[in-house]
Amino acid sequence: LIVSGLAACSTLQPVDTPTIELPPGSAISDPQIEQAILNALNPYRWHVAQVQPGGVQADILVRERHQAAITIDYNPRDIFIRYRGSQGLEYKNGKIHRTYNRWVKYLKLEIEHQLNLPPTP
């Protein structure tokens, strides 16, 4: 019983909030950042919910059971992927199923790829 309880807990991790730091003095414009974000969402089946200056909201639904909502805020220096909500991912007290963190990690890597930036840990 104790082992099964520990195994269940091991799937929960602190919610990751990936950040991409843009190179100082880069010539990447806001429209280029926005387009890179939109291009990065598509291959991973994220659905764009809202686009506004400085931010994009997106949702993903996997197997009709697992849903996550994020906001991707950006400015000339940084891009932030922030958790907005979820269902079926066991979110509680700032922790969530590790799958969510994997989703946003791959999204971060794809945004970096779209902007021709080297991947960061």
Side-chain angles (χ1 to χ4, degrees):
L1 182 61
I2 292 173
V3 172
S4 66
L6 290 175
C9 291
S10 68
T11 63
L12 295 182
Q13 301 174 343
V15 172
D16 194 9
T17 305
T19 301
I20 300 168
E21 293 182 22
L22 299 174
S26 72
I28 303 172
S29 68
D30 282 359
Q32 288 172 311
I33 295 170
E34 181 179 290
Q35 191 60 55
I37 291 167
L38 296 174
N39 291 344
L41 291 166
N42 194 36
Y44 293 101
R45 301 185 325 215
W46 287 90
H47 167 67
V48 177
Q50 182 179 21
V51 178
Q52 57 192 28
V56 174
Q57 291 185 354
D59 307 300
I60 191 169
L61 178 63
V62 177
R63 290 189 292 272
E64 302 296 321
R65 292 189 326 203
H66 308 292
Q67 183 269 336
I70 59 172
T71 297
I72 306 169
D73 294 315
Y74 63 88
N75 60 54
R77 295 174 311 281
D78 304 290
I79 301 169
F80 305 96
I81 302 173
R82 302 181 195 279
Y83 174 83
R84 253 188 27 242
S86 64
Q87 292 182 350
L89 292 171
E90 304 171 28
Y91 176 83
K92 185 175 182 182
N93 298 326
K95 293 192 174 188
I96 197 162
H97 193 279
R98 65 180 176 223
T99 298
Y100 169 83
N101 286 341
R102 189 176 23 194
W103 292 345
V104 295
K105 174 188 170 189
Y106 290 138
L107 180 57
K108 173 188 177 283
L109 291 171
E110 185 61 27
I111 293 169
E112 290 171 334
H113 173 74
Q114 292 291 326
L115 290 169
N116 295 314
L117 299 174
T120 58

